[in-house]
Amino acid sequence: MGQQEKVATSLSGAVGEEISASLAPVDAELERRYPGDPGTRQPVHTVYVPGDAFAADTVRTWGDRALAALDEHAPDAASFAAVLGLSEELAEPVYSRVRAKLEREPIEDLRVDFEDGYGPRPDAEEDETAARAARLIAEAYATGTAAPYMGIRMKCMEAAVRDRGIRTLDIFLTGLTAHGRLPDGLVLTLPKVTYPEQVSAFARLLEAFEKAHGLEAGRIGFEIQIETSQAILATDGTATVARMIQAAEGRATGLHYGTFDYSACLGVSAAYQASDHPAADHAKAVMQVAAAGTGVRVSDGSTNVLPVGPTAQVHDAWRLHYGLTRRALARAYYQGWDMHPGHIPTRYAAVFAFYREGFEQASARLARYAGRVGGDVMDEPATAKALAGYLLRGLDCGALDIAEVARLTGLTRAGLEGFAAPRRGDLTASGN
């Protein structure tokens, strides 16, 4: 041991206390505005089904149709891998897991649509359809046949359809409470939001419903759908979407990018309206930065190219959908929309390949970090958080099994969750 260093300071303790007191409001503001990711499961997709088409067996029907598409157009692992360009190593694990997922849990998040997919209907018809949706969803949760997340997309808060949207929401939520409590997986989507005031109004609407039924304040959250240019950039040059998150007063759970409405709003020709258009990339990048740290998650949009028709045409559509999904995952958009049962095989194939390709390396890096063992990459707390989050998302969707992850990391799920949700100070004390 060398000579012990003499430690000397120049500042009194009062200085530090004064600094801390001056920053106390900032500390509180950070905690309020940026609580971090909630640590709950995020579905890999949202399936939209028009209100009049939604039925008690919709989840199972979509799974069966997706399996039938595989049977017809890619009946084995080799043929499916050839279409998507999967490696020989990934072909069988991905294909078998896709089929198992379609049999066990074909849809992770389902939205009964009362907006564009449903359109204007006579009031009595929409009333009945909303009440029916509430009954069917309540029964699905009661019988264990529901998707993990389910809810509705009502009409927006614009003047022309506002009253209709509010009534549909009221009928739906009232119907759910009449059949028991609100399900834990309940999700509401507010479309075509342009001004933060519309978000505030929707939050007040939900608050009024909670009070009417004696529910805990803040019990009902909702997603904000970004479908207009004004939702990204306000007239004063500020990012409207950031103000929308704050206007939700803690109720916002997600931001969903609306591929086609947003593209059309900017004048993008129909043939070029896609989730990989530069205009789409810009919008989602703004959404992503605005949502970072707030606990609000970002979802990509969809493709309207359906995998239907002859096998060659289905394969082309599958390749497109698979490529767009992989592209989104690499950009940290871990959720998207699926418009047709034929999209589900490639949704899960892309997700499973994404996690299975990288989980061994991610596991090794996290294991070295947890054990404070050196390696060829020097990771920091923020990277350990990302590595653990990556593995947890893979576990949640079924791409990975806890046994294989535990074998490589030496961590239980609780251990992974500890790294994925560190305290704020843990990320800043030793990182850049």
Side-chain angles (χ1 to χ4, degrees), residues 318-375:
W318 273 353
R319 277 188 287 268
L320 173 64
H321 185 245
Y322 177 88
L324 291 173
T325 303
R326 286 301 305 263
R327 183 180 189 273
L329 290 167
R331 287 158 174 74
Y333 308 132
Y334 299 115
Q335 186 175 354
W337 296 9
D338 286 325
M339 310 292 287
H340 186 274
H343 284 144
I344 303 182
T346 39
R347 169 69 60 182
Y348 290 131
V351 170
F352 292 171
F354 176 75
Y355 290 113
R356 294 207 65 80
E357 284 178 349
F359 95 93
E360 290 188 1
Q361 183 185 50
S363 297
R365 287 176 65 179
L366 187 58
R368 287 195 298 269
Y369 180 87
R372 300 186 181 277
V373 177

Side-chain angles (χ1 to χ4, degrees), residues 166-290:
I166 291 173
R167 181 170 174 81
T168 297
L169 175 68
D170 189 6
I171 292 171
F172 176 72
L173 292 178
T174 301
L176 281 180
T177 56
H179 289 92
R181 66 183 184 89
L182 296 180
D184 293 336
L186 174 66
V187 187
L188 305 175
T189 303
L190 179 65
K192 294 185 174 60
V193 184
T194 303
Y195 284 85
E197 289 80 1
Q198 294 169 325
V199 175
S200 296
F202 195 67
R204 291 197 301 273
L205 185 65
L206 296 177
E207 180 183 19
F209 186 88
E210 289 167 349
K211 289 180 178 178
H213 289 269
L215 299 173
E216 177 186 359
R219 164 66 181 84
I220 308 173
F222 62 97
E223 303 168 330
I224 302 169
Q225 197 155 14
I226 305 300
E227 301 176 272
T228 67
S229 60
Q230 297 91 343
I232 295 297
L233 193 68
T235 54
D236 62 0
T238 60
T240 316
V241 65
R243 294 166 55 208
M244 288 177 177
I245 292 172
Q246 298 307 316
E249 299 178 354
R251 293 180 185 270
T253 59
L255 301 174
H256 280 233
Y257 175 68
T259 304
F260 307 105
D261 281 291
Y262 186 86
S263 299
C265 184
L266 268 62
V268 178
S269 298
Y272 297 96
Q273 293 177 0
S275 61
D276 59 351
H277 190 279
D281 285 340
H282 171 260
K284 286 178 287 188
V286 174
M287 292 162 60
Q288 190 174 47
V289 173

Side-chain angles (χ1 to χ4, degrees), residues 51-90:
D52 57 329
F54 178 62
D57 62 348
T58 291
V59 173
R60 185 62 265 152
T61 298
W62 273 58
D64 290 343
R65 290 175 64 187
L67 284 166
L70 278 180
D71 290 340
E72 181 177 357
H73 303 293
D76 53 46
S79 58
F80 197 47
V83 173
L84 304 180
L86 294 174
S87 67
E88 185 177 347
E89 181 182 8
L90 283 175

Side-chain angles (χ1 to χ4, degrees), residues 12 30 52 160 162 171 190 221 319 345 419 428:
S12 68
L30 280 171
D52 57 329
R162 184 184 304 139
I171 292 171
L190 179 65
R319 277 188 287 268
F419 281 109
T428 58

